[in-house]
Amino acid sequence: MAVVTTATNTRELAHPAREEIRLECVLHALSDPMRMRVVRALATAEGELSCSHFVLPVTKSTTTHHFRVLRESGVIQQVYRGTAKMNGLRRADLDALFPGLLDSILGAADREAQRLGDEA
């Protein structure tokens, strides 16, 4: 698992620094269909999306777990804006560390969704 930078207060969430992001952690995070759904939505968003934007067919605690895995692996950045927890894809970091990986995975996920008739 990646080393996660410690948060300094309760409103600041811990994230790995770019140099701490590990390929195996990113691949693990992207291996789950619910997490992949979140990443696909963030990849097509024009900006950050709040956690409440996502309606996943799992419990709230499981949804929280999925966001934590994505954040701690370095796939997403989460920040509080008022009372909302906002999520953004760490595309620049992932592209710098693993050129072409994110686009390849997103393309494969899109093709699979089309093949299976699941555009979610």
Side-chain angles (χ1 to χ4, degrees), residues 36-82:
M36 194 68 229
R37 184 184 290 195
V38 169
V39 171
R40 287 178 68 209
L42 290 172
T44 60
E46 301 225 354
E48 297 172 329
L49 297 174
S50 69
C51 289
S52 63
H53 171 84
F54 299 92
V55 180
L56 302 177
V58 295
T59 64
K60 185 175 179 182
S61 64
T62 301
T63 299
T64 299
H65 166 77
H66 286 312
F67 278 104
R68 182 178 54 79
V69 170
L70 288 167
R71 178 175 42 83
E72 290 180 354
S73 68
V75 174
I76 67 170
Q77 177 83 24
Q78 290 186 307
V79 295
Y80 281 101
R81 303 235 189 277

